[in-house]
Amino acid sequence: MTDTQVGIIGAGPAGLVLSYLLHLEGIEAVVLEARSREYVEQRVRAGVCEQPTVELLRELGVGERLAAEGLPHRGLSLRFDRADHRIDLAELTGKAITVYGQQEIVKDLIAAHAGKGLPIEFEVSDVELHGLDTESPRVSYHDSEGNARELNCAVIAGCDGFHGISRPSIPAGELTAYDHQYPFAWLGVLARTPPSHEELIYTHHERGFALHSMRSPEVTRLYLQVDPIERIEDWSDDRIWHELEQRLETRDGFSLREGPVLEKSITPMRSFVVEPMRYGRLFLAGDAAHIVPPTGAKGMNLAIADVRNLSRALKALLCDNDGELAASYSDRCLRRVWRAEHFSWFMTSMLHTDPNADAFQHRLQLSQLRYTASSRAAATSLAENYVGLPFDRAD
């Protein structure tokens, strides 16, 4: 049996940032993770960091490698009518985004934990949460050697993602779920080849959406809109590159660089939110509470915004015996969550080819794209949301 102030379920960016924020406030925490350290450090996920996320990681002292290896982007391209229409993020907002893989942030945070001797238990199993409606919740589990363990806490933070144990541990009827399924999926490809363009390209094409992104100067990340019933086995590397070439082509002869495909997978698209993000002494953060389609590049950034709020609420609760911020945690997070949900829906709806839409709706899409690319006001709205609203403004 172990005692700690905060038990954190999940060693993704949300759980690790929360643990480190609490450490800086002198609050004890233990992180429990079902996967191995090697797995979570290699798990490829998001790659776009909003400016507020970058600034927070630097403030925490874990941004050295991000500053050295991250790829700052001062703009992005909307590609439609077979031409690029650049949105100048920096000129419109004075801010930028940084491309730096989620797995790299996880590596940096795990190394920082190890350097400070902060506890992370990997490869735990049979995790169960108890006493959530009391002031002494606890976590039972088996450690990596199969030993039964119990963690007594003052608070539990559920940072274990959409399929984790935290949200299902809340009694039925205590949460309201908002779920929206999109009629398409993303086929994602990681390829060992230099990026074909210096910035991200979001493409609207009659064959379907495509995205050109990157993870480093040597590795490119690419996505194709596909039907959700597609099987990855039916997509050979040659077929993927051929489809990318068709959708990314421009009238001025854009050249797509090809290379060995390192990974490929198909991911359904959905929007999902639960309210409230708290039950008793269990607080949900990140994908445990909300999912956004990746078109807006908000998932990891929302998770980090959540735990920034949560760390402040827990400091007040555990150090000052002040429960006001804890009581308002969900409301403050959800203001930012719903703004990000709307922006992600907007980007998804504007750029994807809806198989159920008629010709009228397709013309509306093109009208919105042309307006966004030609109107400073519309472009500024997109840019402001894309680079990330300031924490205090959105929270």
Side-chain angles (χ1 to χ4, degrees):
M1 185 175 293
T2 304
D3 292 324
T4 192
Q5 290 174 284
V6 182
I8 300 174
I9 314 299
L16 293 171
V17 169
L18 176 61
S19 174
Y20 209 73
L21 283 166
L22 294 175
H23 161 69
L24 295 178
E25 297 291 352
I27 297 172
E28 295 179 352
V30 174
V31 180
L32 303 178
E33 168 58 48
R35 302 285 191 168
S36 68
R37 175 174 177 173
E38 179 183 18
Y39 179 89
V40 299
E41 288 187 337
Q42 300 300 322
R43 179 172 49 190
V44 176
R45 291 290 187 271
V48 173
C49 300
E50 296 177 350
Q51 182 151 324
T53 295
V54 172
E55 291 169 353
L56 177 61
L57 294 172
R58 288 173 178 167
E59 289 171 11
L60 293 180
V62 294
E64 182 177 350
R65 207 159 63 90
L66 183 154
E69 301 177 17
L71 305 175
H73 284 207
R74 298 171 59 85
L76 61 84
S77 285
L78 296 180
R79 182 170 291 182
F80 60 94
D81 290 337
R82 289 170 173 74
D84 277 332
H85 308 266
R86 186 171 185 267
I87 305 296
D88 193 327
L89 303 174
E91 195 272 330
L92 292 167
T93 69
K95 301 175 183 178
I97 56 98
T98 300
V99 174
Y100 188 66
Q102 174 176 310
Q103 73 276 14
E104 303 305 323
I105 292 174
V106 167
K107 289 177 189 175
D108 296 341
L109 288 163
I110 290 176
H113 276 70
K116 299 289 185 180
L118 305 179
I120 306 174
E121 291 194 42
F122 293 99
E123 299 182 74
V124 305
S125 59
D126 305 318
V127 176
E128 294 184 8
L129 311 185
H130 311 273
L132 299 177
D133 56 352
T134 73
E135 293 187 0
S136 303
R138 66 189 192 281
V139 185
S140 62
Y141 62 99
H142 286 88
D143 64 21
S144 60
E145 297 179 352
N147 300 311
R149 301 281 300 277
E150 193 164 89
L151 185 66
N152 291 318
C153 317
V155 166
I156 297 174
C159 305
D160 50 344
F162 184 78
H163 298 289
I165 190 63
S166 295
R167 189 180 66 253
S169 297
I170 296 174
E174 295 292 337
L175 298 178
T176 299
Y178 301 89
D179 195 1
H180 178 72
Q181 303 282 343
Y182 293 86
F184 32 74
W186 272 18
L187 191 162
V189 173
L190 197 67
R192 188 171 300 284
T193 181
S196 306
H197 193 269
E198 64 273 12
E199 293 176 341
L200 277 71
I201 307 170
Y202 287 82
T203 303
H204 173 79
H205 191 275
E206 59 266 23
R207 296 181 64 88
F209 168 80
L211 171 61
H212 173 282
S213 182
M214 64 282 294
R215 287 296 177 266
S216 75
E218 297 81 32
V219 176
T220 299
R221 187 71 162 159
L222 302 132
Y223 296 94
L224 287 168
Q225 174 189 341
V226 297
D227 192 296
I229 66 172
E230 289 278 2
R231 302 186 314 149
I232 196 65
E233 296 81 8
D234 295 331
W235 284 84
S236 66
D237 294 357
D238 286 345
R239 182 185 178 191
I240 290 170
W241 288 116
H242 177 70
E243 192 65 31
L244 284 165
E245 286 175 355
Q246 287 189 289
R247 298 189 194 184
L248 290 169
E249 69 174 353
T250 61
R251 291 192 299 271
D252 58 3
F254 173 77
S255 179
L256 178 65
R257 293 174 174 171
E258 299 183 12
V261 173
L262 307 176
E263 295 180 13
K264 55 184 174 181
S265 61
I266 293 177
T267 304
M269 302 277 281
R270 76 186 308 167
S271 297
F272 178 85
V273 181
V274 293
E275 295 185 2
M277 292 170 55
R278 176 193 180 184
Y279 172 75
R281 286 296 181 101
L282 170 63
F283 296 80
L284 302 178
D287 286 2
H290 43 74
I291 298 287
V292 290
T295 326
K298 295 298 168 207
M300 177 184 65
N301 296 289
L302 271 183
I304 289 175
D306 286 347
V307 296
R308 177 182 177 272
N309 270 327
L310 185 53
S311 68
R312 295 181 173 194
L314 296 185
K315 177 181 183 296
L317 179 67
L318 301 176
C319 298
D320 305 324
N321 199 31
D322 181 352
E324 183 177 350
L325 287 179
S328 63
Y329 163 74
S330 180
D331 289 341
R332 286 183 291 113
C333 287
L334 286 168
R335 284 196 291 272
R336 189 182 195 94
V337 167
W338 281 112
R339 174 87 295 275
E341 290 284 356
H342 181 272
F343 177 67
S344 299
W345 167 85
F346 164 75
M347 291 285 284
T348 301
S349 302
M350 179 173 66
L351 289 159
H352 288 70
T353 302
D354 187 340
N356 302 315
D358 57 24
F360 177 80
Q361 290 167 296
H362 291 316
R363 299 305 292 179
L364 291 181
Q365 275 185 297
L366 283 172
S367 175
Q368 180 63 60
L369 282 162
R370 290 165 181 157
Y371 175 64
T372 301
S374 61
S375 163
R376 183 178 180 87
T380 300
S381 177
L382 187 153
E384 180 181 55
N385 282 274
Y386 195 82
V387 301
L389 298 172
F391 284 132
D392 292 332
R393 174 176 165 185
D395 299 344

